[in-house]
């Protein structure tokens, strides 16, 4: 009797050990996992109005083959600067349904598959933004099903650069610039011509004044030269008259002297 009881106890212990090993094996092999990423543009032109991003599910491990294992839900908090982004539209892809409310993204599918797009996010930017970059983040993300998939995902942050463009002048600006250059050149030429004319006029005036001065001096000199011969002629006549008078007087005296004798 004692031997029978001992055999029963040993058998029960063996069964308990087998169950414990099976339980550990099931827990280890039954843990499911998935990879979720966010793709965005790396840069945008300054005047871009909209751009899109994609939430992508990659490798899935140990999910299970049952239909209920493929029913999966995803949730996350979408972060961005509301001073730059005006609105966001979230659309499910490849059998995923998705909604977006007050920063919260909720999505689910009845038949999950690896390596496919889960959702597309369309961002609309505000007008006349002055920022040089945009930051997009997914935080508090979790993916799970009713079985062994219950995974908290790492936070994701993406930075998108905004390229500053140098504005080129349009045709009107080019024409205006050309007209300004032509007008400036014309004004400079007119100014230079006026300066040359003023200089020429001044030089002509100076030359005329010099010629007038020379003419005046020449006339005065001519007058002086002309008046000198006239004065000399009058003096010669007077001297001649005096000499004739003296000769006449001597002749008269001599005549009287001859008659007296």
């Amino acid at each position: 009797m004692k031997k029978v009881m001992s055999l029963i106890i040993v058998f029960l212990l063996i069964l308990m050990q087998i169950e414990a090993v099976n339980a550990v094996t099931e827990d280890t092999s039954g843990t499911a996992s998935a990879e979720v990423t966010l793709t965005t543009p790396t840069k945008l032109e300054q005047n871009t109005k909209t751009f899109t991003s994609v939430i992508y599910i990659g490798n899935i491990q140990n999910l299970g083959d049952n239909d209920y294992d493929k029913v999966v839900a995803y949730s996350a908090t979408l972060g961005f600067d509301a001073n730059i982004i005006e609105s966001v539209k979230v659309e499910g892809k490849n059998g995923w349904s998705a909604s977006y409310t007050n920063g919260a993204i909720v999505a689910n599918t009845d038949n999950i598959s690896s390596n496919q797009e889960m959702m597309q996010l369309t961002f609309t930017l505000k007008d006349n933004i002055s920022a040089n970059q945009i930051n997009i983040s997914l935080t508090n993300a979790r993916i799970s099903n009713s079985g062994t998939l219950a995974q908290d995902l790492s936070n994701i942050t993406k930075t998108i650069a905004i390229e500053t463009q140098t504005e080129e002048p349009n045709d009107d600006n080019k024409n205006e610039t050309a007209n300004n250059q032509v007008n400036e050149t014309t004004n400079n030429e007119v100014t230079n011509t006026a300066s040359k004319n003023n200089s020429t006029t001044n030089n002509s005036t100076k030359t005329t004044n010099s010629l007038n001065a020379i003419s005046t001096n020449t006339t005065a000199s001519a007058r002086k030269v002309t008046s000198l011969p006239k004065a000399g002629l009058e003096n010669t006549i007077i001297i001649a008259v005096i000499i004739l008078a003296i000769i006449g007087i001597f002749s008269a005296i001599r005549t009287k002297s001859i008659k007296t004798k």
Side-chain angles (χ1 to χ4, degrees):
M1 187 66 181
K2 290 181 179 180
K3 291 181 179 180
V4 173
M5 291 298 296
S6 297
L7 290 173
I8 293 173
I9 291 172
V10 170
F11 182 74
L12 290 174
L13 290 174
I14 293 173
L15 289 177
M16 291 176 62
Q17 290 177 356
I18 293 173
E19 289 294 332
V21 170
N22 289 336
V24 171
T25 303
E26 289 178 359
D27 290 339
T28 303
S29 61
T31 302
S33 64
E35 296 176 356
V36 177
T37 58
L38 173 67
T39 62
T40 63
T42 57
K43 62 181 64 176
L44 298 173
E45 294 183 358
Q46 189 173 21
N47 297 323
T48 299
K49 187 61 180 176
T50 62
F51 70 93
T52 59
S53 298
V54 172
I55 298 178
Y56 185 88
I57 186 165
N59 187 28
I60 301 174
Q61 294 182 352
N62 302 324
L63 184 62
D65 295 330
N66 297 322
D67 291 340
Y68 64 84
D69 288 328
K70 296 182 179 181
V71 178
V72 176
Y74 172 85
S75 63
T77 301
L78 177 64
F80 55 84
D81 188 348
N83 294 321
I84 300 176
I85 296 175
E86 184 174 34
S87 62
V88 181
K89 180 181 179 181
V90 177
E91 299 175 283
K93 307 281 286 184
N94 298 311
W96 284 82
S97 61
S99 63
Y100 172 74
T101 306
N102 298 326
I105 295 176
V106 176
N108 61 77
T109 182
D110 294 335
N111 188 15
I112 191 172
S113 298
S114 298
N115 304 318
Q116 64 179 207
E117 295 179 355
M118 296 167 58
M119 286 165 279
Q120 177 176 288
L121 285 61
T122 303
F123 296 88
T124 300
L125 304 181
K126 292 186 175 181
D127 296 330
N128 301 320
I129 60 175
S130 59
N132 57 8
Q133 66 180 27
I134 302 172
N135 294 321
I136 306 295
S137 65
L138 287 176
T139 59
N140 303 318
R142 181 176 177 83
I143 187 168
S144 60
N145 63 4
S146 59
T148 59
L149 179 60
Q151 183 180 357
D152 293 328
L153 302 171
S154 300
N155 294 337
I156 301 173
T157 300
K158 296 288 185 177
T159 299
I160 306 170
I162 300 177
E163 294 183 329
T164 301
Q165 295 178 341
T166 302
E167 184 177 357
E168 296 183 357
N170 54 28
D171 292 338
D172 293 336
N173 292 334
K174 290 180 180 178
N175 293 333
E176 184 177 358
T177 302
N179 291 333
N180 290 335
Q181 291 176 350
V182 171
N183 292 333
E184 184 177 358
T185 303
T186 303
N187 291 333
N188 290 335
E189 291 178 353
V190 170
T191 302
N192 293 332
T193 303
S195 298
K196 290 179 180 179
N197 291 336
N198 290 335
S199 177
T200 303
T201 302
N202 292 333
N203 292 333
S204 298
T205 302
K206 290 179 181 179
T207 303
T208 302
N209 292 336
S210 298
L211 293 175
N212 290 335
I214 293 171
S215 177
T216 302
N217 294 332
T218 303
T219 303
S221 299
R223 288 177 182 175
K224 291 179 181 180
V225 172
T226 303
S227 61
L228 286 175
K230 183 177 181 182
L233 181 60
E234 290 178 354
N235 291 332
T236 303
I237 294 171
I238 293 171
I239 293 170
V241 171
I242 294 171
I243 293 172
L244 290 175
I246 293 172
I247 293 172
I249 293 170
F250 279 107
S251 297
I253 294 171
R254 185 174 182 182
T255 301
K256 287 183 178 180
S257 298
I258 294 172
K259 286 181 179 181
T260 302
K261 294 179 177 180

